[in-house]
Amino acid sequence: MSEVENKVVPVESEEKDYVEDGKNKLIVKCKFCGSKILDKKSAKYITLEKELPLMQQDNNRKEGEIQNESVNEFYHVENMYTFENIGFTHTVANCKYLSCADCDAGPVGYYDMETKHSYVAISRIVHA
Amino acid sequence: MAKKTYDLLFKLLLIGDSGVGKTCILFRFSDNHFTTTFISTIGIDFKIKTVELRGKKIKLQIWDTAGQERFHTITTSYYRGAMGIMLVYDITNEKTFDDIVKWLRNIDEHANEDVEKMILGNKCDMEEKRVVSKERGEAIAREHGIRFMETSAKANINIDRAFSELAEAILDKTSGREADADHARIAVERRPSRAPPARACCS
């Protein structure tokens, strides 16, 4: 393989084996029950920094406290009907959280009320 | 603009008294294999599910009433765009069954007249507490020409089947309309939709 060829390949898809042409190469599924969330090649791979509540909150946390973690790899879904199966929570601070439609695990991402775009956290799903 | 990845989109509503298990039909945290504490605190607004019927890819957008179960709060705006309604009662609670008639009237007043309805007798896993017999459920459904099914959100009995059947009924209607689009709309006598064959829901 020549170096010239390598240069035309976008950096991201070169690094991530689950990304092809800037999109999810594989089907996106729930980590816990395998429910199909996105069809292959239906969402854009993006990096952005976002604080998401942990899927499992510590039972000993202070009342009203929410434990977050920083997530930085997402699949960007512009139209909510692109999803195969997904749940949307009630609105919290201008966003809805995404959850598995079959087992309710989540948040697996969030939905921005202003732009109406959804973002699926890659660390919280599996590829198949 | 991304290309459309589905053929049809149906908006469905869950309606009925509070406590009948509508939220559990949409949101099955009770029998989850792990506790999604965060999601269960906030609650689910709606879900998108994809089903394939007769080779068509159909997106279902399913809404819960989110605690606004009193009749006066559920009006035209809530029903807007709804193509299917799941009317839910609790087989262990007589009042929720009696209220089905009121809900049907509310739907008649506020929803689109050709909205497809289905009555669900939920909590059929609680046979020992049953006060509404399956026959009574079937009878009221027959009387109004509506489909009927007993379900258990908790035990995951008939839930997916109920959604598929409702979607199929809407599909029947939709394809009929498409085919007739060029003709003047003729009032066709509605085939009394038989309740699906009674299938033992819980043993």
Side-chain angles (χ1 to χ4, degrees), chain A residues 13-40:
Chain A
S13 47
E14 194 179 19
E15 287 172 350
K16 317 283 178 189
D17 54 4
Y18 44 84
V19 178
E20 195 173 75
D21 303 329
K23 291 187 167 181
N24 57 308
K25 184 177 171 186
L26 305 162
I27 288 171
V28 172
K29 289 186 165 187
C30 171
K31 257 187 186 182
F32 299 91
C33 74
S35 172
K36 188 176 175 186
I37 296 172
L38 285 167
D39 216 343
K40 58 177 94 166

